[in-house]
Amino acid sequence: MDAFYASAEQAAKPSLRGKAVVVGGLGPRGVVATASYEARKFGVHSAMPMGQARRLAPHAAYLVPRFRLYRAISEQVMGLLGALSPLVEPLSLDEAFVDLEAGEAAWDADSAEAVGRRLRDDIRRVTGLTGSVGLAASKMLAKIGSEEAKPDGLVLIRPGTERALLGPRSVRILPGVGPATGDHLRRAGILTVEEIAGAGEDEMVRLLGKAHGSHLYEMALARDERPVVAERDSKSVSVEDTYDVDIHDRVRVRMEVRRLADRCVERLRSAERSGRTVVLKVRRYDFSTLTRSETLRGPTDDPGVVREAAARLLESVDTTGGVRLLGVGVSGLADFTQEDLFAQFAAAEEEAEAAAGEPEGTAVAPVEAAEEAEAEPEHVERRWLAGHDVRHAEFGPGWVQGSGLGRVTVRFETPYDAVRGRVRTFRVDDPELVPAEPLPLVEGAEDQVGSSSAPAT
């Protein structure tokens, strides 16, 4: 998909179409997740600190991600891919490999190109967005083709032309060649892919080591035998938050670890998995990062067990001076659980204490909490995140342009409007303004975004 998050926001908001849009964490330590092509012209790109992006493109619209919408669109696209072949290997929400031969959707270069063109049309029809297709005999070349096809294009690399295509290109075009490896090769006088091939495997091993050197040499010869794997089994489940302001209060740190443990278990259960190793991650005020782990007697998906293990791990970490980031994860995943009666009893006691009137604690709001903010319980004070959906009793659906000083500004428009919508400002506690579900980008595609059903081709 092309500039996926930003393109989805432009499609959903008529006033942002053709404008620079940046999606990511908006706090002082936030980073860019995706930038629209209009924003990229000013030098903004993914993984850039948000402060730097604002300096490069101060006029752009800066929005918090809406993962519920992106996941729903991703499911639609993956459904289209699944109709082509049983072998679909998702790499992320917006990218996947498809083995067309396995689904008998294509048998030669020409039929593959026809499938690719139909797929692009189907993606636009179903989602309202554009995607770029790379067609080749291997995963490496298909990936290179899809990058060269962006935006909204198709590149077919015909069998027999691979070496000629790769040869004059920079070594950076090959997977696994980042800035550091590129600089190392440059100092050795190797600038192009054909120069890697000409240097020979022994020289590449000498320069980069056995595994990396041999792999890179094979790639330079356009050899990539990796199969498309339909299911990539996760080895762990984890959640983490970075904070606007370092947390110094030890009690608040404990509460954050507890909250992260509960979120981690929610993800674990949604994946219908359990795990036996609990991992705590702490990044301190000086950027030093510590990890601690504890292996349980057996796999579990009990929130009480994970909370207790994470709390024990925290006791071994010195948080004096402040904490910038906290994370809780579970690894050693399995498809079954081993009940822990002691943890269940402890959890029951905690619930009884809460019911008796134990006061609730206050947590620090994380920078990257957009996904969780979409599903906040009603008793939590509402946070109006830029770009998120709202509905007003009088004005209907809209989205948050910004908030502060007790006010929230909303633009009232939908994906189906031909012109930009009007803007109104309200008090943050206005009872007629409430958070809302994202609307589908294509009118009539779904009653509500979030359904797991995907249209068939």
Side-chain angles (χ1 to χ4, degrees):
M1 302 297 287
D2 299 323
F4 182 44
Y5 296 175
S7 294
E9 297 299 344
Q10 288 175 317
K13 301 171 171 65
S15 58
L16 298 184
R17 292 169 190 168
K19 306 289 181 61
V21 174
V22 180
V23 180
L26 301 189
R29 294 173 183 162
V31 297
V32 175
T34 308
S36 69
Y37 288 101
E38 294 85 355
R40 294 181 190 187
K41 294 177 181 178
F42 296 92
V44 180
H45 57 77
S46 61
M48 172 181 285
M50 192 60 76
Q52 182 181 356
R54 289 185 183 276
R55 289 191 294 273
L56 292 172
H59 60 288
Y62 289 85
L63 309 176
V64 175
R66 294 188 296 161
F67 290 106
R68 187 170 301 167
L69 172 65
Y70 310 149
R71 281 195 297 267
I73 299 170
S74 176
E75 289 172 359
Q76 292 176 315
V77 175
M78 296 303 170
L80 293 173
L81 302 182
L84 298 176
S85 171
L87 292 183
V88 177
E89 181 180 339
L91 300 181
S92 59
L93 286 178
D94 65 334
E95 187 174 18
F97 288 117
V98 186
D99 187 333
L100 294 180
E101 186 180 35
E104 299 183 355
W107 50 92
D108 60 14
D110 291 334
S111 60
E113 185 174 16
V115 168
R117 296 194 184 285
R118 287 198 301 272
L119 174 62
R120 289 178 57 230
D121 291 342
D122 287 341
I123 289 174
R124 186 188 293 272
R125 172 179 55 82
V126 170
T127 70
L129 303 178
T130 64
S132 296
V133 175
L135 295 156
S138 70
K139 291 167 73 171
M140 176 191 74
L141 291 164
K143 168 70 171 174
I144 290 173
S146 69
E147 292 297 326
E148 297 209 342
K150 289 185 176 296
D152 192 20
L154 180 148
V155 167
L156 168 66
I157 302 176
R158 292 184 176 273
T161 67
E162 296 94 344
R163 291 284 301 275
L165 171 77
L166 291 176
R169 303 298 181 89
S170 165
V171 296
R172 293 292 302 276
I173 199 173
L174 297 179
V177 181
T181 301
D183 286 344
H184 192 56
L185 292 173
R186 178 182 54 79
R187 288 193 295 270
I190 298 174
L191 303 178
T192 65
V193 174
E194 61 188 359
E195 288 173 342
I196 292 178
E201 184 173 6
D202 290 344
E203 177 64 8
M204 296 309 299
V205 169
R206 187 187 69 80
L207 288 171
L208 302 174
K210 176 63 177 175
H212 195 189
S214 294
H215 177 70
L216 208 57
Y217 177 71
E218 291 293 310
M219 292 288 186
L221 298 179
R223 296 174 184 166
D224 179 16
E225 301 300 326
R226 294 174 300 162
V228 174
V229 180
E231 294 185 4
R232 306 193 326 165
D233 196 20
S234 298
K235 296 181 180 179
S236 64
V237 172
S238 63
V239 294
E240 63 182 45
D241 281 332
T242 303
Y243 301 95
D244 282 337
V245 179
D246 293 349
I247 307 176
H248 293 83
D249 187 337
R250 183 74 175 183
V251 174
R252 297 174 84 174
V253 173
R254 291 192 189 101
M255 292 174 58
E256 281 295 287
V257 168
R258 178 188 178 95
R259 183 180 64 83
L260 290 166
D262 288 342
R263 281 171 47 197
C264 182
V265 170
E266 287 177 8
R267 292 190 179 183
L268 196 64
R269 287 182 168 180
S270 67
E272 299 182 348
R273 305 298 297 276
S274 61
R276 63 179 300 146
T277 300
V278 178
V279 180
L280 175 71
K281 178 179 177 181
V282 179
R283 180 167 297 148
R284 298 188 292 189
Y285 70 98
D286 58 357
F287 288 92
S288 61
T289 302
L290 305 176
T291 57
R292 300 286 187 270
S293 64
E294 176 181 320
T295 299
L296 308 173
R297 291 172 296 181
T300 184
D301 65 351
D302 190 306
V305 174
V306 177
R307 281 199 301 262
E308 289 179 7
R312 287 193 295 271
L313 294 171
L314 179 62
E315 293 307 310
S316 67
V317 177
D318 180 12
T319 60
T320 304
V323 171
R324 301 172 62 89
L325 175 148
L326 289 168
V328 174
V330 176
S331 60
L333 301 188
D335 294 322
F336 62 94
T337 63
Q338 180 171 305
E339 302 297 341
D340 191 320
L341 298 179
F342 293 102
Q344 291 180 359
F345 179 75
E349 282 190 323
E350 291 171 357
E351 291 174 0
E353 290 175 357
E358 183 178 286
E360 296 183 0
T362 57
V364 179
V367 174
E368 309 295 349
E371 189 168 359
E372 285 68 36
E374 295 182 11
E376 286 187 284
E378 291 182 0
H379 67 274
V380 176
E381 182 180 348
R382 291 178 298 185
R383 286 182 292 148
W384 303 107
L385 300 176
H388 279 220
D389 300 272
V390 296
R391 180 175 290 274
H392 190 272
E394 178 182 353
F395 300 109
W399 57 278
V400 176
Q401 280 200 325
S403 64
L405 302 177
R407 297 287 188 270
V408 54
T409 300
V410 177
R411 184 177 291 277
F412 291 98
E413 59 186 4
T414 74
Y416 328 124
D417 296 333
V419 296
R420 57 191 300 167
R422 54 188 173 179
V423 176
R424 296 286 186 275
T425 298
F426 308 91
R427 290 176 55 89
V428 294
D429 58 355
D430 189 321
E432 294 191 321
L433 186 69
V434 296
E437 293 292 311
L439 294 169
L441 301 185
V442 177
E443 192 168 14
E446 302 274 358
D447 289 335
Q448 280 292 340
V449 166
S451 169
S452 60
S453 61
T457 52

